[in-house]
Amino acid sequence: MQRNDLCWCGSGKKYKKCHADFDERLDEMKFNVFLGQCRPPKKIINNAHDIECIRKAGVINDGALDLAGTLVKEGVDTATIDKAVHDYIVERGGYPSCLNYEGFPKSCCISINEVVCHGIPSPKTILKDGDILNIDITTTLDGYYADASRMFMVGNVSPEAEKLVRVTKECMERGIAAAKPWHFVGDISAACGDYAHLNGYSVVTDLGGHGVGKDFHMEPFVAHEGEANTGMLLVPGMVLTVEPMINVGKKQVTVDSSDNWTVRTKDKKLSAQWEKTILITETGTEVLSS
Ligand code: MF3
Ligand code: CO
Ligand code: CO
C-alpha cells in the first residue's frame, strides 16, 4: 500500500493520514509465538463509520435489556419477555440477531440458575422467587451487531446466589479494565479468571467472548481465564465482547439433548454471566453495549 492510496480500512482517507502509523507500529511488534501472540487480521479492525454503526446497534440493544429488566417478576414466563424484546428491537428498525441464528428459535437467551447460557425462552418457563437469570440480547442494525447480557434476581435470592451475581459482574469489569491497546487478549482472560478463582469459583472455558461488529461471532476468541501477555494483540478499532460465565461448582457443562442449545452446569450448581461489547480505543476502551 502506497502512502497516497486510499486506506485499507475503508475510511476513504489517504493511507498516510489513516493507518500508516498504525501499520508501522504493528510491523515493529515482536510476537512471541510460544505465548500464542499473534497479529489481528485486518477484517476485525473497524473504521469510524463501522464504530458509529455498532454504537447505534448498541443503543437499541441496551434499551431492549432495560425493557427486559422491567418485566422480570415472579410468575412471568420467559416467552413474554422474549416477545417484548423482539418487538422493541424490530420497532426501532433492528433485528434480534439470535432469532434463527444457527436455528436458535427465539429472539434472546434467558438462562436461569444452573443454566449457563443459551436458555430458550418458553411460555412453560415461569420465573419463581429466588431465581437468578441472565438475559442475553444481540441487535443487528444496518448489518452491524452489538451483544450484551445482564443478570436479574427474582424476589428473595440466597446470599450465595447474590454473591455469585456480584462477583461475576466484577470479573467482567476487571477483564474490561485490563483491556488495553497494544497489549494482549490474554490480559482480559487473566484478570477475569484470577478474580473468579480468588472467590472460589470456576470459569467456563467451553464458551467465551468474541469479536463482534461486522458479524455476530468473529475473531478473537476471548477466554475468561488464562495468562496475561498471551494470544491476539489488541489494537484500536477492534470490537469484542467480555462475557464471563462463572460457576459456584465445577467448570464442566452439558448441552440438553432435547434442544441442542441449553447449556447447564454438569453438577447442576449455579452459574452466572454478564456481557458487554467494548471497543479498543487509542487510550483504552469504550463500552458500546452493556
Ligand atoms: N449472545 C450470545 C453470545 O454472547 C450468543 C447467543 S447465540 C444463540 O455470544 F443462538 F443462542 F442465540
Ligand atoms: Co450475548
Ligand atoms: Co457474546
Side-chain angles (χ1 to χ4, degrees), residues 10 13 28 32 72 81 88 106 128 136-137 184 234:
K13 292 192 223 166
E28 282 165 11
N32 184 332
V72 171
I81 299 173
Y88 181 93
K106 291 287 181 182
K128 58 180 197 306
D136 190 341
I137 307 179
F184 291 88
L234 297 168

Side-chain angles (χ1 to χ4, degrees), residues 28-67:
E28 282 165 11
M29 290 285 305
K30 297 268 177 285
F31 292 95
N32 184 332
V33 293
F34 298 102
L35 298 176
Q37 292 179 348
C38 60
R39 67 169 62 219
K42 285 195 168 69
K43 64 173 178 293
I44 65 167
I45 297 166
N46 297 282
N47 64 34
H49 172 258
D50 299 326
I51 291 162
E52 196 43 42
C53 291
I54 303 167
R55 193 180 278 117
K56 283 181 184 157
V59 170
I60 297 174
N61 207 55
D62 294 357
L65 278 164
D66 291 343
L67 172 63

Side-chain angles (χ1 to χ4, degrees), residues 187-208:
D187 298 10
I188 300 173
S189 316
C192 258
D194 289 355
Y195 189 67
H197 297 142
L198 186 70
N199 282 278
Y201 297 141
S202 68
V203 177
V204 174
T205 46
D206 286 359
L207 304 115

Side-chain angles (χ1 to χ4, degrees), residues 130-132 151-153 155-170 201 248 270 272 274:
D131 281 345
I132 61 168
M151 293 297 295
F152 299 95
M153 300 188 268
N156 294 304
V157 166
S158 73
E160 182 199 41
E162 208 170 325
K163 183 183 171 194
L164 175 68
V165 169
R166 174 177 59 80
V167 170
T168 302
K169 188 174 193 196
E170 291 166 352
Y201 297 141
V248 162
L270 291 177
W274 289 83

